[in-house]
PDB file of all heavy atoms in Angstrom:
ATOM      1  N   GLN A1001     -18.134 -14.547  18.862  1.00 98.00           N
ATOM      2  CA  GLN A1001     -18.809 -13.632  19.794  1.00 98.00           C
ATOM      3  C   GLN A1001     -18.538 -12.169  19.344  1.00 98.00           C
ATOM      4  O   GLN A1001     -19.446 -11.332  19.454  1.00 98.00           O
ATOM      5  CB  GLN A1001     -18.249 -13.838  21.206  1.00 98.00           C
ATOM      6  CG  GLN A1001     -18.948 -12.980  22.222  1.00 98.00           C
ATOM      7  CD  GLN A1001     -20.421 -13.334  22.337  1.00 98.00           C
ATOM      8  OE1 GLN A1001     -20.833 -14.466  22.471  1.00 98.00           O
ATOM      9  NE2 GLN A1001     -21.265 -12.265  22.226  1.00 98.00           N
ATOM     10  N   VAL A1002     -17.347 -11.904  18.777  1.00 98.00           N
ATOM     11  CA  VAL A1002     -17.069 -10.557  18.243  1.00 98.00           C
ATOM     12  C   VAL A1002     -18.038 -10.235  17.138  1.00 98.00           C
ATOM     13  O   VAL A1002     -18.660  -9.118  17.115  1.00 98.00           O
ATOM     14  CB  VAL A1002     -15.628 -10.444  17.721  1.00 98.00           C
ATOM     15  CG1 VAL A1002     -15.419  -9.153  16.962  1.00 98.00           C
ATOM     16  CG2 VAL A1002     -14.629 -10.522  18.876  1.00 98.00           C
ATOM     17  N   PHE A1003     -18.325 -11.163  16.248  1.00 98.00           N
ATOM     18  CA  PHE A1003     -19.262 -10.906  15.172  1.00 98.00           C
ATOM     19  C   PHE A1003     -20.675 -10.700  15.739  1.00 98.00           C
ATOM     20  O   PHE A1003     -21.432  -9.845  15.209  1.00 98.00           O
ATOM     21  CB  PHE A1003     -19.235 -12.117  14.192  1.00 98.00           C
ATOM     22  CG  PHE A1003     -18.262 -11.964  13.096  1.00 98.00           C
ATOM     23  CD1 PHE A1003     -16.921 -11.714  13.412  1.00 98.00           C
ATOM     24  CD2 PHE A1003     -18.592 -12.128  11.775  1.00 98.00           C
ATOM     25  CE1 PHE A1003     -15.956 -11.559  12.401  1.00 98.00           C
ATOM     26  CE2 PHE A1003     -17.649 -11.996  10.753  1.00 98.00           C
ATOM     27  CZ  PHE A1003     -16.355 -11.706  11.073  1.00 98.00           C
ATOM     28  N   ALA A1004     -21.052 -11.477  16.732  1.00 98.00           N
ATOM     29  CA  ALA A1004     -22.364 -11.268  17.323  1.00 98.00           C
ATOM     30  C   ALA A1004     -22.503  -9.936  17.999  1.00 98.00           C
ATOM     31  O   ALA A1004     -23.542  -9.274  17.895  1.00 98.00           O
ATOM     32  CB  ALA A1004     -22.637 -12.418  18.356  1.00 98.00           C
ATOM     33  N   ASP A1005     -21.443  -9.517  18.656  1.00 98.00           N
ATOM     34  CA  ASP A1005     -21.451  -8.203  19.314  1.00 98.00           C
ATOM     35  C   ASP A1005     -21.513  -7.048  18.291  1.00 98.00           C
ATOM     36  O   ASP A1005     -22.188  -6.054  18.487  1.00 98.00           O
ATOM     37  CB  ASP A1005     -20.217  -8.064  20.176  1.00 98.00           C
ATOM     38  CG  ASP A1005     -20.167  -8.938  21.366  1.00 98.00           C
ATOM     39  OD1 ASP A1005     -21.266  -9.501  21.745  1.00 98.00           O
ATOM     40  OD2 ASP A1005     -19.108  -9.152  21.956  1.00 98.00           O
ATOM     41  N   LEU A1006     -20.815  -7.218  17.173  1.00 98.00           N
ATOM     42  CA  LEU A1006     -20.840  -6.240  16.101  1.00 98.00           C
ATOM     43  C   LEU A1006     -22.305  -6.092  15.541  1.00 98.00           C
ATOM     44  O   LEU A1006     -22.784  -5.011  15.320  1.00 98.00           O
ATOM     45  CB  LEU A1006     -19.877  -6.567  14.981  1.00 98.00           C
ATOM     46  CG  LEU A1006     -18.405  -6.385  15.316  1.00 98.00           C
ATOM     47  CD1 LEU A1006     -17.533  -7.046  14.234  1.00 98.00           C
ATOM     48  CD2 LEU A1006     -18.066  -4.888  15.460  1.00 98.00           C
ATOM     49  N   GLU A1007     -22.942  -7.237  15.356  1.00 97.00           N
ATOM     50  CA  GLU A1007     -24.273  -7.219  14.848  1.00 97.00           C
ATOM     51  C   GLU A1007     -25.238  -6.545  15.866  1.00 97.00           C
ATOM     52  O   GLU A1007     -26.136  -5.781  15.479  1.00 97.00           O
ATOM     53  CB  GLU A1007     -24.795  -8.662  14.570  1.00 97.00           C
ATOM     54  CG  GLU A1007     -26.175  -8.734  13.986  1.00 97.00           C
ATOM     55  CD  GLU A1007     -26.632 -10.156  13.721  1.00 97.00           C
ATOM     56  OE1 GLU A1007     -25.879 -11.099  14.088  1.00 97.00           O
ATOM     57  OE2 GLU A1007     -27.768 -10.318  13.180  1.00 97.00           O
ATOM     58  N   SER A1008     -24.961  -6.809  17.143  1.00 97.00           N
ATOM     59  CA  SER A1008     -25.890  -6.237  18.179  1.00 97.00           C
ATOM     60  C   SER A1008     -25.822  -4.743  18.267  1.00 97.00           C
ATOM     61  O   SER A1008     -26.807  -4.112  18.670  1.00 97.00           O
ATOM     62  CB  SER A1008     -25.546  -6.841  19.533  1.00 97.00           C
ATOM     63  OG  SER A1008     -24.317  -6.342  20.047  1.00 97.00           O
ATOM     64  N   VAL A1009     -24.685  -4.171  17.877  1.00 97.00           N
ATOM     65  CA  VAL A1009     -24.588  -2.702  17.904  1.00 97.00           C
ATOM     66  C   VAL A1009     -24.936  -2.050  16.559  1.00 97.00           C
ATOM     67  O   VAL A1009     -24.911  -0.836  16.446  1.00 97.00           O
ATOM     68  CB  VAL A1009     -23.176  -2.221  18.375  1.00 97.00           C
ATOM     69  CG1 VAL A1009     -22.872  -2.731  19.771  1.00 97.00           C
ATOM     70  CG2 VAL A1009     -22.108  -2.609  17.374  1.00 97.00           C
ATOM     71  N   GLY A1010     -25.254  -2.881  15.601  1.00 97.00           N
ATOM     72  CA  GLY A1010     -25.692  -2.374  14.342  1.00 97.00           C
ATOM     73  C   GLY A1010     -24.757  -2.370  13.163  1.00 97.00           C
ATOM     74  O   GLY A1010     -24.995  -1.710  12.155  1.00 97.00           O
ATOM     75  N   VAL A1011     -23.648  -3.093  13.291  1.00 97.00           N
ATOM     76  CA  VAL A1011     -22.673  -3.224  12.187  1.00 97.00           C
ATOM     77  C   VAL A1011     -23.151  -4.370  11.295  1.00 97.00           C
ATOM     78  O   VAL A1011     -23.176  -5.522  11.692  1.00 97.00           O
ATOM     79  CB  VAL A1011     -21.257  -3.440  12.665  1.00 97.00           C
ATOM     80  CG1 VAL A1011     -20.319  -3.657  11.477  1.00 97.00           C
ATOM     81  CG2 VAL A1011     -20.795  -2.235  13.492  1.00 97.00           C
ATOM     82  N   ASP A1012     -23.364  -4.051  10.028  1.00 97.00           N
ATOM     83  CA  ASP A1012     -23.758  -5.083   9.023  1.00 97.00           C
ATOM     84  C   ASP A1012     -22.521  -5.611   8.347  1.00 97.00           C
ATOM     85  O   ASP A1012     -21.978  -4.979   7.428  1.00 97.00           O
ATOM     86  CB  ASP A1012     -24.725  -4.413   8.008  1.00 97.00           C
ATOM     87  CG  ASP A1012     -25.232  -5.414   6.953  1.00 97.00           C
ATOM     88  OD1 ASP A1012     -24.716  -6.563   6.881  1.00 97.00           O
ATOM     89  OD2 ASP A1012     -26.185  -5.091   6.216  1.00 97.00           O
ATOM     90  N   MET A1013     -22.022  -6.745   8.793  1.00 97.00           N
ATOM     91  CA  MET A1013     -20.756  -7.272   8.276  1.00 97.00           C
ATOM     92  C   MET A1013     -20.881  -7.665   6.827  1.00 97.00           C
ATOM     93  O   MET A1013     -19.911  -7.566   6.047  1.00 97.00           O
ATOM     94  CB  MET A1013     -20.290  -8.478   9.113  1.00 97.00           C
ATOM     95  CG  MET A1013     -19.655  -8.057  10.411  1.00 97.00           C
ATOM     96  SD  MET A1013     -18.249  -6.890  10.320  1.00 97.00           S
ATOM     97  CE  MET A1013     -17.050  -7.934   9.439  1.00 97.00           C
ATOM     98  N   ALA A1014     -22.053  -8.117   6.379  1.00 96.00           N
ATOM     99  CA  ALA A1014     -22.214  -8.447   4.971  1.00 96.00           C
ATOM    100  C   ALA A1014     -21.993  -7.188   4.117  1.00 96.00           C
ATOM    101  O   ALA A1014     -21.344  -7.244   3.026  1.00 96.00           O
ATOM    102  CB  ALA A1014     -23.602  -9.019   4.712  1.00 96.00           C
ATOM    103  N   ASP A1015     -22.508  -6.090   4.557  1.00 97.00           N
ATOM    104  CA  ASP A1015     -22.294  -4.815   3.825  1.00 97.00           C
ATOM    105  C   ASP A1015     -20.845  -4.352   3.907  1.00 97.00           C
ATOM    106  O   ASP A1015     -20.318  -3.806   2.943  1.00 97.00           O
ATOM    107  CB  ASP A1015     -23.204  -3.735   4.361  1.00 97.00           C
ATOM    108  CG  ASP A1015     -23.137  -2.454   3.565  1.00 97.00           C
ATOM    109  OD1 ASP A1015     -23.556  -2.499   2.377  1.00 97.00           O
ATOM    110  OD2 ASP A1015     -22.657  -1.460   4.089  1.00 97.00           O
ATOM    111  N   VAL A1016     -20.213  -4.576   5.057  1.00 98.00           N
ATOM    112  CA  VAL A1016     -18.785  -4.236   5.215  1.00 98.00           C
ATOM    113  C   VAL A1016     -17.969  -4.961   4.177  1.00 98.00           C
ATOM    114  O   VAL A1016     -17.144  -4.413   3.421  1.00 98.00           O
ATOM    115  CB  VAL A1016     -18.286  -4.594   6.611  1.00 98.00           C
ATOM    116  CG1 VAL A1016     -16.766  -4.545   6.700  1.00 98.00           C
ATOM    117  CG2 VAL A1016     -18.898  -3.646   7.650  1.00 98.00           C
ATOM    118  N   ILE A1017     -18.188  -6.302   4.064  1.00 97.00           N
ATOM    119  CA  ILE A1017     -17.433  -7.118   3.134  1.00 97.00           C
ATOM    120  C   ILE A1017     -17.683  -6.706   1.683  1.00 97.00           C
ATOM    121  O   ILE A1017     -16.765  -6.584   0.888  1.00 97.00           O
ATOM    122  CB  ILE A1017     -17.754  -8.603   3.320  1.00 97.00           C
ATOM    123  CG1 ILE A1017     -17.386  -9.034   4.783  1.00 97.00           C
ATOM    124  CG2 ILE A1017     -17.057  -9.499   2.298  1.00 97.00           C
ATOM    125  CD1 ILE A1017     -15.972  -8.755   5.185  1.00 97.00           C
ATOM    126  N   ALA A1018     -18.981  -6.460   1.331  1.00 96.00           N
ATOM    127  CA  ALA A1018     -19.308  -6.064   0.001  1.00 96.00           C
ATOM    128  C   ALA A1018     -18.647  -4.718  -0.349  1.00 96.00           C
ATOM    129  O   ALA A1018     -18.117  -4.515  -1.478  1.00 96.00           O
ATOM    130  CB  ALA A1018     -20.813  -5.949  -0.174  1.00 96.00           C
ATOM    131  N   THR A1019     -18.626  -3.826   0.590  1.00 97.00           N
ATOM    132  CA  THR A1019     -18.008  -2.525   0.383  1.00 97.00           C
ATOM    133  C   THR A1019     -16.504  -2.656   0.168  1.00 97.00           C
ATOM    134  O   THR A1019     -15.897  -2.040  -0.753  1.00 97.00           O
ATOM    135  CB  THR A1019     -18.279  -1.589   1.577  1.00 97.00           C
ATOM    136  OG1 THR A1019     -19.667  -1.371   1.700  1.00 97.00           O
ATOM    137  CG2 THR A1019     -17.553  -0.239   1.424  1.00 97.00           C
ATOM    138  N   LEU A1020     -15.882  -3.477   0.985  1.00 97.00           N
ATOM    139  CA  LEU A1020     -14.423  -3.637   0.890  1.00 97.00           C
ATOM    140  C   LEU A1020     -14.012  -4.267  -0.438  1.00 97.00           C
ATOM    141  O   LEU A1020     -13.009  -3.922  -1.042  1.00 97.00           O
ATOM    142  CB  LEU A1020     -13.917  -4.476   2.059  1.00 97.00           C
ATOM    143  CG  LEU A1020     -13.878  -3.803   3.411  1.00 97.00           C
ATOM    144  CD1 LEU A1020     -13.640  -4.790   4.528  1.00 97.00           C
ATOM    145  CD2 LEU A1020     -12.894  -2.666   3.429  1.00 97.00           C
ATOM    146  N   GLU A1021     -14.794  -5.301  -0.903  1.00 95.00           N
ATOM    147  CA  GLU A1021     -14.456  -5.923  -2.162  1.00 95.00           C
ATOM    148  C   GLU A1021     -14.595  -4.931  -3.299  1.00 95.00           C
ATOM    149  O   GLU A1021     -13.712  -4.836  -4.152  1.00 95.00           O
ATOM    150  CB  GLU A1021     -15.354  -7.149  -2.444  1.00 95.00           C
ATOM    151  CG  GLU A1021     -15.027  -7.804  -3.766  1.00 95.00           C
ATOM    152  CD  GLU A1021     -15.944  -8.991  -4.100  1.00 95.00           C
ATOM    153  OE1 GLU A1021     -16.091  -9.838  -3.217  1.00 95.00           O
ATOM    154  OE2 GLU A1021     -16.445  -9.006  -5.185  1.00 95.00           O
ATOM    155  N   ARG A1022     -15.705  -4.191  -3.330  1.00 94.00           N
ATOM    156  CA  ARG A1022     -15.906  -3.202  -4.398  1.00 94.00           C
ATOM    157  C   ARG A1022     -14.800  -2.134  -4.363  1.00 94.00           C
ATOM    158  O   ARG A1022     -14.191  -1.830  -5.398  1.00 94.00           O
ATOM    159  CB  ARG A1022     -17.280  -2.528  -4.210  1.00 94.00           C
ATOM    160  CG  ARG A1022     -17.595  -1.526  -5.341  1.00 94.00           C
ATOM    161  CD  ARG A1022     -18.899  -0.821  -5.097  1.00 94.00           C
ATOM    162  NE  ARG A1022     -18.875   0.077  -3.935  1.00 94.00           N
ATOM    163  CZ  ARG A1022     -19.424  -0.195  -2.771  1.00 94.00           C
ATOM    164  NH1 ARG A1022     -20.103  -1.321  -2.576  1.00 94.00           N
ATOM    165  NH2 ARG A1022     -19.356   0.689  -1.779  1.00 94.00           N
ATOM    166  N   GLU A1023     -14.525  -1.615  -3.216  1.00 94.00           N
ATOM    167  CA  GLU A1023     -13.494  -0.596  -3.092  1.00 94.00           C
ATOM    168  C   GLU A1023     -12.106  -1.166  -3.400  1.00 94.00           C
ATOM    169  O   GLU A1023     -11.266  -0.468  -3.942  1.00 94.00           O
ATOM    170  CB  GLU A1023     -13.481   0.027  -1.714  1.00 94.00           C
ATOM    171  CG  GLU A1023     -14.692   0.897  -1.440  1.00 94.00           C
ATOM    172  CD  GLU A1023     -14.718   1.522  -0.045  1.00 94.00           C
ATOM    173  OE1 GLU A1023     -13.831   1.134   0.785  1.00 94.00           O
ATOM    174  OE2 GLU A1023     -15.543   2.370   0.200  1.00 94.00           O
ATOM    175  N   GLY A1024     -11.876  -2.417  -2.989  1.00 92.00           N
ATOM    176  CA  GLY A1024     -10.542  -3.050  -3.274  1.00 92.00           C
ATOM    177  C   GLY A1024     -10.267  -3.103  -4.752  1.00 92.00           C
ATOM    178  O   GLY A1024      -9.144  -2.775  -5.205  1.00 92.00           O
ATOM    179  N   VAL A1025     -11.243  -3.542  -5.526  1.00 91.00           N
ATOM    180  CA  VAL A1025     -11.055  -3.640  -6.942  1.00 91.00           C
ATOM    181  C   VAL A1025     -10.898  -2.236  -7.558  1.00 91.00           C
ATOM    182  O   VAL A1025      -9.998  -1.987  -8.417  1.00 91.00           O
ATOM    183  CB  VAL A1025     -12.249  -4.381  -7.654  1.00 91.00           C
ATOM    184  CG1 VAL A1025     -12.170  -4.287  -9.124  1.00 91.00           C
ATOM    185  CG2 VAL A1025     -12.327  -5.821  -7.177  1.00 91.00           C
ATOM    186  N   GLU A1026     -11.734  -1.299  -7.094  1.00 92.00           N
ATOM    187  CA  GLU A1026     -11.626   0.070  -7.638  1.00 92.00           C
ATOM    188  C   GLU A1026     -10.282   0.690  -7.304  1.00 92.00           C
ATOM    189  O   GLU A1026      -9.715   1.432  -8.131  1.00 92.00           O
ATOM    190  CB  GLU A1026     -12.758   0.925  -6.973  1.00 92.00           C
ATOM    191  CG  GLU A1026     -14.162   0.549  -7.489  1.00 92.00           C
ATOM    192  CD  GLU A1026     -15.276   1.295  -6.745  1.00 92.00           C
ATOM    193  OE1 GLU A1026     -14.912   1.963  -5.736  1.00 92.00           O
ATOM    194  OE2 GLU A1026     -16.425   1.202  -7.168  1.00 92.00           O
ATOM    195  N   LYS A1027      -9.732   0.451  -6.136  1.00 90.00           N
ATOM    196  CA  LYS A1027      -8.452   1.025  -5.749  1.00 90.00           C
ATOM    197  C   LYS A1027      -7.302   0.453  -6.600  1.00 90.00           C
ATOM    198  O   LYS A1027      -6.441   1.177  -7.044  1.00 90.00           O
ATOM    199  CB  LYS A1027      -8.165   0.752  -4.253  1.00 90.00           C
ATOM    200  CG  LYS A1027      -8.980   1.614  -3.316  1.00 90.00           C
ATOM    201  CD  LYS A1027      -8.690   1.275  -1.855  1.00 90.00           C
ATOM    202  CE  LYS A1027      -9.506   2.131  -0.925  1.00 90.00           C
ATOM    203  NZ  LYS A1027      -9.320   1.784   0.496  1.00 90.00           N
ATOM    204  N   PHE A1028      -7.368  -0.828  -6.862  1.00 88.00           N
ATOM    205  CA  PHE A1028      -6.337  -1.420  -7.712  1.00 88.00           C
ATOM    206  C   PHE A1028      -6.488  -0.999  -9.162  1.00 88.00           C
ATOM    207  O   PHE A1028      -5.501  -0.848  -9.866  1.00 88.00           O
ATOM    208  CB  PHE A1028      -6.296  -2.939  -7.555  1.00 88.00           C
ATOM    209  CG  PHE A1028      -5.550  -3.379  -6.342  1.00 88.00           C
ATOM    210  CD1 PHE A1028      -6.072  -4.386  -5.497  1.00 88.00           C
ATOM    211  CD2 PHE A1028      -4.323  -2.818  -6.014  1.00 88.00           C
ATOM    212  CE1 PHE A1028      -5.369  -4.817  -4.371  1.00 88.00           C
ATOM    213  CE2 PHE A1028      -3.632  -3.248  -4.893  1.00 88.00           C
ATOM    214  CZ  PHE A1028      -4.143  -4.277  -4.070  1.00 88.00           C
ATOM    215  N   GLU A1029      -7.746  -0.806  -9.596  1.00 90.00           N
ATOM    216  CA  GLU A1029      -7.950  -0.269 -10.965  1.00 90.00           C
ATOM    217  C   GLU A1029      -7.355   1.131 -11.061  1.00 90.00           C
ATOM    218  O   GLU A1029      -6.679   1.492 -12.062  1.00 90.00           O
ATOM    219  CB  GLU A1029      -9.444  -0.250 -11.271  1.00 90.00           C
ATOM    220  CG  GLU A1029     -10.037  -1.599 -11.562  1.00 90.00           C
ATOM    221  CD  GLU A1029     -11.518  -1.539 -11.853  1.00 90.00           C
ATOM    222  OE1 GLU A1029     -12.127  -0.461 -11.577  1.00 90.00           O
ATOM    223  OE2 GLU A1029     -12.082  -2.532 -12.311  1.00 90.00           O
ATOM    224  N   ALA A1030      -7.600   1.945 -10.039  1.00 90.00           N
ATOM    225  CA  ALA A1030      -7.087   3.315 -10.027  1.00 90.00           C
ATOM    226  C   ALA A1030      -5.550   3.301 -10.015  1.00 90.00           C
ATOM    227  O   ALA A1030      -4.883   4.075 -10.724  1.00 90.00           O
ATOM    228  CB  ALA A1030      -7.615   4.098  -8.838  1.00 90.00           C
ATOM    229  N   SER A1031      -4.967   2.436  -9.191  1.00 88.00           N
ATOM    230  CA  SER A1031      -3.500   2.330  -9.139  1.00 88.00           C
ATOM    231  C   SER A1031      -2.955   1.869 -10.483  1.00 88.00           C
ATOM    232  O   SER A1031      -1.883   2.325 -10.921  1.00 88.00           O
ATOM    233  CB  SER A1031      -3.117   1.317  -8.049  1.00 88.00           C
ATOM    234  OG  SER A1031      -3.383   1.843  -6.797  1.00 88.00           O
ATOM    235  N   TRP A1032      -3.639   0.940 -11.149  1.00 90.00           N
ATOM    236  CA  TRP A1032      -3.182   0.500 -12.457  1.00 90.00           C
ATOM    237  C   TRP A1032      -3.184   1.620 -13.468  1.00 90.00           C
ATOM    238  O   TRP A1032      -2.243   1.769 -14.262  1.00 90.00           O
ATOM    239  CB  TRP A1032      -4.053  -0.664 -12.925  1.00 90.00           C
ATOM    240  CG  TRP A1032      -3.558  -1.319 -14.172  1.00 90.00           C
ATOM    241  CD1 TRP A1032      -3.998  -1.120 -15.441  1.00 90.00           C
ATOM    242  CD2 TRP A1032      -2.538  -2.303 -14.252  1.00 90.00           C
ATOM    243  NE1 TRP A1032      -3.297  -1.916 -16.306  1.00 90.00           N
ATOM    244  CE2 TRP A1032      -2.395  -2.644 -15.621  1.00 90.00           C
ATOM    245  CE3 TRP A1032      -1.710  -2.942 -13.319  1.00 90.00           C
ATOM    246  CZ2 TRP A1032      -1.466  -3.570 -16.070  1.00 90.00           C
ATOM    247  CZ3 TRP A1032      -0.805  -3.878 -13.749  1.00 90.00           C
ATOM    248  CH2 TRP A1032      -0.655  -4.181 -15.102  1.00 90.00           C
ATOM    249  N   GLN A1033      -4.240   2.399 -13.434  1.00 90.00           N
ATOM    250  CA  GLN A1033      -4.292   3.545 -14.357  1.00 90.00           C
ATOM    251  C   GLN A1033      -3.199   4.571 -14.056  1.00 90.00           C
ATOM    252  O   GLN A1033      -2.630   5.128 -14.998  1.00 90.00           O
ATOM    253  CB  GLN A1033      -5.654   4.228 -14.273  1.00 90.00           C
ATOM    254  CG  GLN A1033      -5.885   5.288 -15.360  1.00 90.00           C
ATOM    255  CD  GLN A1033      -5.752   4.707 -16.755  1.00 90.00           C
ATOM    256  OE1 GLN A1033      -6.405   3.710 -17.115  1.00 90.00           O
ATOM    257  NE2 GLN A1033      -4.882   5.322 -17.578  1.00 90.00           N
TER     258      GLN A1033
END
């Protein structure tokens, strides 16, 4: 129901997840450097 409510107000969870994965890898790459 939380996911349904998020969608109803305009939060695109698929985009949230894609953003977090991309940023997660980028952050660890930056930390490694």
Side-chain angles (χ1 to χ4, degrees):
Q1001 186 60 53
V1002 169
F1003 272 52
D1005 292 343
L1006 288 168
E1007 183 180 4
S1008 72
V1009 299
V1011 175
D1012 183 347
M1013 283 303 296
D1015 186 66
V1016 167
I1017 299 306
T1019 298
L1020 288 170
E1021 180 182 310
R1022 183 183 68 255
E1023 290 181 350
V1025 173
E1026 290 173 352
K1027 286 177 180 179
F1028 279 135
E1029 286 178 348
S1031 291
W1032 188 260
Q1033 189 58 52

